[in-house]
Amino acid sequence: VALSRGESEASQAVLMEMKQARELGEVERRKLELQKTQIEGEAKAVRAENQSLREQLANEQRENWRLQKDCQLETQSRAKLLQIDMIEDENCRLEAENKIMKSKLEEAEKKADATTNPLVEQLEVAKKRTGEVESELKLLKSKASEWKSMYEACKFKEEDIKKWEVQQAELKSNVTSLEEKISSLQGK
């Protein structure tokens, strides 16, 4: 009986220890669940912050792209303004040349009146050439006006710059042609 009592006390002690171990295990499990809940909350907050930062980065990238486009448009606008200034300068030069040609034509008409019939015919040819030059000048003026209105009316694109360069080359070619005609008129 003494053994059974000792065994019974030992069993109770073991049962007490097991109960305490279970209680400690339960307390530990609850602590771990609490930590898990806290970590999940922190992870959710980090994910939300990450998403917010990504959206902010995307917004900043869009703004950067818009600013680059604005800068590019401003550069193109400046280039077009320079081209218009060059065309206007060329137009003024052509107008001055036209005035000179008109005065020379008037002098030639006076000399032609005083000369014989072959010189009158040459004068008619010179008038015809002057008329052609004036019509070309009018055409160039209308093109310059058209370019100016196109500049004010449209958005600037790369293809517009190329078109202007081609038209500027045509203008320069026309000016060279006009100068050659003037030279040939002065030679006669």
Side-chain angles (χ1 to χ4, degrees):
V1 172
L3 225 123
S4 169
R5 192 178 231 199
E7 285 178 8
S8 172
E9 284 178 12
S11 308
Q12 283 182 356
V14 167
L15 286 175
M16 275 304 249
E17 283 182 25
M18 286 177 62
K19 182 178 176 184
Q20 286 176 350
R22 262 188 264 130
E23 287 174 356
L24 283 175
E26 183 63 24
V27 167
E28 191 64 31
R29 185 185 65 76
R30 286 182 184 166
K31 283 182 186 177
L32 289 174
E33 283 180 1
L34 183 61
Q35 284 179 347
K36 177 184 172 190
T37 304
Q38 288 174 346
I39 289 172
E40 286 174 348
E42 289 172 3
K44 185 176 181 181
V46 167
R47 281 193 293 274
E49 182 181 359
N50 185 17
Q51 181 63 29
S52 172
L53 290 173
R54 285 178 189 244
E55 290 171 2
Q56 184 180 359
L57 176 63
N59 289 339
E60 288 177 6
Q61 286 174 336
R62 280 191 294 275
E63 180 64 15
N64 186 22
W65 181 82
R66 186 191 64 77
L67 290 173
Q68 287 175 351
K69 284 296 183 184
D70 287 350
C71 183
Q72 187 179 31
L73 285 175
E74 185 175 329
T75 302
Q76 290 173 352
S77 297
R78 287 181 183 170
K80 294 227 183 228
L81 285 173
L82 286 174
Q83 288 176 345
I84 287 173
D85 286 343
M86 288 176 17
I87 290 170
E88 287 175 350
D89 290 344
E90 184 66 16
N91 193 23
C92 289
R93 189 186 68 76
L94 288 173
E95 286 177 1
E97 282 183 23
N98 189 30
K99 287 179 184 178
I100 292 170
M101 286 177 23
K102 283 182 180 180
S103 68
K104 287 182 181 181
L105 177 62
E106 289 172 3
E107 289 175 20
E109 286 175 346
K110 289 176 186 176
K111 287 180 183 178
D113 288 340
T115 60
T116 62
N117 199 19
L119 291 177
V120 172
E121 291 175 6
Q122 288 179 358
L123 181 59
E124 292 300 320
V125 170
K127 285 182 182 179
K128 182 179 176 182
R129 287 183 184 163
T130 303
E132 291 172 357
V133 168
E134 288 178 353
S135 67
E136 285 184 37
L137 181 60
K138 286 179 185 176
L139 177 67
L140 292 175
K141 283 182 181 179
S142 70
K143 282 187 179 181
S145 174
E146 177 185 340
W147 292 339
K148 196 171 192 177
S149 66
M150 285 172 49
Y151 168 74
E152 293 171 357
C154 71
K155 293 182 180 176
F156 302 109
K157 297 180 183 174
E158 192 66 33
E159 60 198 37
D160 290 339
I161 292 173
K162 290 179 183 174
K163 180 180 175 184
W164 278 63
E165 289 172 351
V166 169
Q167 289 177 344
Q168 184 180 14
E170 288 175 2
L171 272 178
K172 286 183 180 179
S173 172
N174 288 340
V175 167
T176 304
S177 172
L178 287 172
E179 289 173 346
E180 290 173 359
K181 287 181 181 180
I182 291 170
S183 296
S184 68
L185 282 174
Q186 290 174 347
K188 292 184 177 185

